[in-house]
Amino acid sequence: MTGPVVAGLTKSECLCDHDEESDPTQIVEEDAHITVPEWRLHKVQSPILLKHDETNHYDHFEPLEFHGHWDQGGEATLSNNGFTATLRFQNRELPVLIGGPLHEDQYVFEQLHFHWSDDDHSGCEHIFEGQAYSMEAHAVHYNKKYEDFKEAADKHDGLAVVAFFLKATDDDEHPCFNKMTEAVKKIVKIDSITSVPSDCLTWIKEEAQCKGYYTYQGSLTTEPYTESVTWIIYPTPIHVSREQVSEFRNMKSTPCEQHNIVKNVRPIQTPAGDKKLDIIYARSHRKSE
Ligand SMILES: [Zn+2]
């Protein structure tokens, strides 16, 4: 994911260079030049390993609801920024995510992008039960109480990212996912953009309805790695064909067209010390529109 650089906090300025014995709140007080909100000291970086047995089960959330994600109308585009393929909607009311771990806030769809690798067994960022899948799709939403994605991106409740795993199989291609792969063929060049049918997200519909998901508070998995993300991760992979995954590897990462985007996955991040992550397993109870 991309976002603005967080002013006043870089890696060298954070806790990493300090004595582990010291109290992190002391560091903030000692350095008058840096104001570090408390939530940035939690140091929960993404992606992480997910194990069902190590999660807290919680059934009291309101249902998580997707509104408008697979509706027709308006326009959609897919673009190549040299790092990933990014889907955006235009000229329509943007989809909204509500409920679940998002409390009373509404989160507006900003973009959906993909992570993949040079083989079919290491292209996801989160690892569920030790299993690495072929790709991971991230549907990025920002909290509507902020002006836009840019303003929300460094707030602790700023972003909600829904993650879906994709598994390459020898089976037939996924017909709905074909709307994405056909578009990927048209954005091989860096900075290229193409139109996509506006109902191009139907391949996530089944997974996003009536199933359990994992949620935790983490970070962006690309710079500036801000800890502003409520992650919502669906564990069951969506099956696509190997050919559909391989189309993404043809995308170019440089204007000279000598390099492909072969791997855009951040490695698993391990919490500092024996810090235990608070990962919740929640169930959706109601079908979304
Ligand atoms: Zn991502």
Side-chain angles (χ1 to χ4, degrees), residues 1 113 115 125 138 221:
M1 285 171 288
H113 64 268
H115 298 269
E125 295 205 306
H138 289 161
T221 64

Side-chain angles (χ1 to χ4, degrees), residues 72-261:
Q72 285 188 320
E75 296 161 20
T77 56
L78 194 70
S79 59
N80 173 355
N81 64 0
F83 178 78
T84 187
T86 305
L87 173 84
R88 293 179 192 275
F89 290 123
Q90 294 93 18
N91 299 326
R92 59 173 281 183
E93 194 173 338
L94 292 171
V96 171
L97 191 64
I98 59 171
L102 305 176
H103 307 293
E104 302 300 310
D105 292 339
Q106 292 190 22
Y107 284 74
V108 181
F109 181 90
E110 170 74 9
Q111 47 102 330
L112 178 141
H113 64 268
F114 298 90
H115 298 269
W116 64 86
S117 180
D118 52 354
D119 63 53
D120 286 341
H121 310 288
S122 61
C124 59
E125 295 205 306
H126 290 88
I127 305 284
F128 178 63
E129 302 290 10
Q131 175 90 41
Y133 293 112
S134 314
M135 297 182 78
E136 188 168 324
H138 289 161
V140 181
H141 301 71
Y142 69 90
N143 195 325
K144 197 176 184 179
K145 75 182 187 185
Y146 301 113
E147 182 80 12
D148 53 21
F149 171 82
K150 197 175 170 189
E151 192 194 317
D154 67 347
K155 308 298 190 297
H156 74 285
D157 59 352
L159 305 179
V161 182
V162 191
F164 300 92
F165 296 124
L166 292 115
K167 182 179 183 180
T169 70
D170 293 323
D171 299 340
D172 292 341
E173 61 189 23
H174 190 304
C176 300
F177 195 63
N178 241 357
K179 289 172 183 167
M180 307 302 300
T181 50
E182 287 303 308
V184 166
K185 290 176 186 175
K186 298 172 186 167
I187 55 164
V188 170
K189 287 187 177 180
I190 188 170
D191 295 331
S192 57
I193 186 166
T194 188
S195 61
V196 197
S198 58
D199 61 345
C200 58
L201 286 184
T202 49
W203 52 276
I204 65 174
K205 184 177 178 181
E206 189 180 343
E207 185 63 22
Q209 288 181 333
C210 290
K211 294 195 178 171
Y213 57 85
Y214 297 88
T215 181
Y216 74 100
Q217 296 296 317
S219 76
L220 300 172
T221 64
T222 54
E223 289 183 355
Y225 307 112
T226 321
E227 294 178 354
S228 55
V229 180
T230 299
W231 282 96
I232 295 166
I233 299 160
Y234 284 90
T236 308
I238 298 163
H239 286 207
V240 298
S241 71
R242 295 190 195 286
E243 290 74 23
Q244 286 180 307
V245 173
S246 68
E247 291 295 345
F248 287 81
R249 299 186 193 113
N250 294 330
M251 289 173 57
K252 302 295 179 188
S253 63
T254 55
C256 70
E257 300 193 10
Q258 301 208 343
H259 303 284
N260 290 17
I261 309 172

Side-chain angles (χ1 to χ4, degrees), residues 12-63:
S12 62
E13 290 167 330
C14 78
L15 302 179
C16 305
D17 294 336
H18 296 277
D19 185 353
E20 287 182 7
E21 298 292 309
S22 63
D23 176 356
T25 56
Q26 280 300 111
I27 295 163
V28 180
E29 288 171 12
E30 283 170 9
D31 192 335
H33 302 290
I34 310 165
T35 305
V36 184
E38 190 189 353
W39 62 268
R40 281 191 192 148
L41 300 172
H42 295 168
K43 304 307 292 176
V44 179
Q45 285 286 302
S46 301
I48 59 168
L49 294 172
L50 292 165
K51 292 192 183 114
H52 186 77
D53 286 347
E54 294 177 6
T55 59
N56 300 311
H57 293 210
Y58 190 74
D59 277 327
H60 305 296
F61 284 137
E62 288 294 306

